[in-house]
């Protein structure tokens, strides 16, 4: 029987089952439950936005979107979003998903911390960001009923402890590669939680560039 939470069906294809097993087995419960909430909230927000993402592709994007924060997916030399995007695309290609669909999921994961832009792109990309923004930032909660919210958070805790836990996960996920946070919201995290960190200033980069005045 297909699992359904807050009226949203959880994909139960072999692809989805493999993704669920992999992420459940290789990431902390915090990331797994957050990722499932992102799928559910992203699906609910898609309804409000009037878009229809492919459930399987959205599910994989949601499950992989934060894998770049933790081993064995975390790298040392690129943004954590790209780590997750690379893993999601490789996973999909290994399951014979067309390259175009894999690239859509790559983009959904890579852009999930980028404001505004994803909403002008494919439904899977928009819905991934919408799910993240709902679960992490509390944006557009008014689009979702109290009953739906309660069903999602009952199925996939923790709430209300999630705020501090995800901020710690962000800090641990990229404090060793601070340069990759330039120009992103991730720099805000390090400025709050890593003593001595100072974000790269875009204006100073221009002023101090190699170009002569």
């Amino acid at each position: 029987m297909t699992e359904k939470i807050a009226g949203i069906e959880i994909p139960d294809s072999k692809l989805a089952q493999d993704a669920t097993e992999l992420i459940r087995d290789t990431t902390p419960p915090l990331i797994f439950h957050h990722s499932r909430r992102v799928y559910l909230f992203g699906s609910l927000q898609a309804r409000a936005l009037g878009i229809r993402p492919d459930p399987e592709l959205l599910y994989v994007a949601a499950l992989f979107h934060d894998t770049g924060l933790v081993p064995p997916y975390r790298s040392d030399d690129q943004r954590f979003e790209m780590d997750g995007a690379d893993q999601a695309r490789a996973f999909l290609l290994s399951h014979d998903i067309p390259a175009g669909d894999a690239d859509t999921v790559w983009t959904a994961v890579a852009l999930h911390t980028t404001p505004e832009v994803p909403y002008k792109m494919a439904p899977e990309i928009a819905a991934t960001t919408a799910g993240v923004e709902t679960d992490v930032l509390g944006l557009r909660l008014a689009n979702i009923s109290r009953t739906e919210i309660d069903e999602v958070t009952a199925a996939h805790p923790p709430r209300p402890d999630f705020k501090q836990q995800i901020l710690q996960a962000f800090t641990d996920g990229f404090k060793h590669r601070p340069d990759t946070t330039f120009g992103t919201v991730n720099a805000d995290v390090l400025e709050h939680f890593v003593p001595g960190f100072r974000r790269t200033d875009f204006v100073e980069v221009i002023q101090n560039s190699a170009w002569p005045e």
Side-chain angles (χ1 to χ4, degrees):
M1 183 176 179
T2 301
E3 182 182 10
K4 185 178 288 189
I5 300 170
I8 301 298
E9 289 189 358
I10 304 295
D12 61 357
S13 64
K14 178 67 162 58
L15 174 72
Q17 292 173 7
D18 287 352
T20 301
E21 182 177 356
L22 176 65
I23 301 307
R24 186 193 295 130
D25 291 348
T26 60
T27 67
L30 174 75
I31 299 299
F32 176 72
H33 289 297
H34 164 54
S35 299
R36 292 263 291 197
R37 291 196 307 270
V38 165
Y39 169 73
L40 293 163
F41 286 140
S43 299
L44 291 165
Q45 293 289 5
R47 291 180 178 178
L49 291 167
I51 59 176
R52 299 183 65 180
D54 178 279
E56 273 194 328
L57 297 183
L58 175 58
Y59 188 69
V60 172
L63 285 189
F64 278 87
H65 85 279
D66 269 352
T67 53
L69 293 173
V70 296
Y73 309 104
R74 185 170 68 201
S75 73
D76 296 329
D77 58 356
Q78 65 178 7
R79 289 175 55 170
F80 90 90
E81 300 95 330
M82 294 175 66
D83 290 340
D86 290 346
Q87 293 295 329
R89 179 163 57 188
F91 173 83
L92 289 168
L93 293 176
S94 74
H95 284 71
D96 298 321
I97 299 301
D101 289 342
D103 287 344
T104 296
V105 171
W106 187 96
T107 305
V109 177
L111 293 183
H112 80 265
T113 60
T114 301
E116 296 189 62
V117 175
Y119 290 95
K120 298 291 187 179
M121 304 182 77
E124 295 78 18
I125 300 170
T128 300
T129 292
V132 171
E133 290 182 343
T134 298
D135 199 46
V136 178
L137 305 177
L139 299 185
R140 303 176 192 86
L141 277 172
N143 290 341
I144 306 173
S145 73
R146 184 72 254 175
T147 298
E148 290 168 335
I149 292 170
D150 289 345
E151 286 189 34
V152 171
T153 56
H156 291 291
R159 283 284 186 188
D161 301 327
F162 176 70
K163 291 180 181 180
Q164 295 308 314
Q165 291 185 39
I166 196 63
L167 285 170
Q168 186 63 57
F170 287 151
T171 303
D172 293 342
F174 42 75
K175 66 184 179 182
H176 66 292
R177 43 178 167 176
D179 289 347
T180 68
T181 68
F182 171 58
T184 77
V185 297
N186 303 326
D188 294 343
V189 175
L190 297 189
E191 193 142 309
H192 274 271
F193 297 109
V194 176
F197 174 81
R198 180 178 180 272
R199 75 184 67 206
T200 301
D201 188 298
F202 179 64
V203 173
E204 291 178 358
V205 171
I206 295 173
Q207 292 174 332
N208 298 325
S209 77
W211 288 103
E213 294 291 333

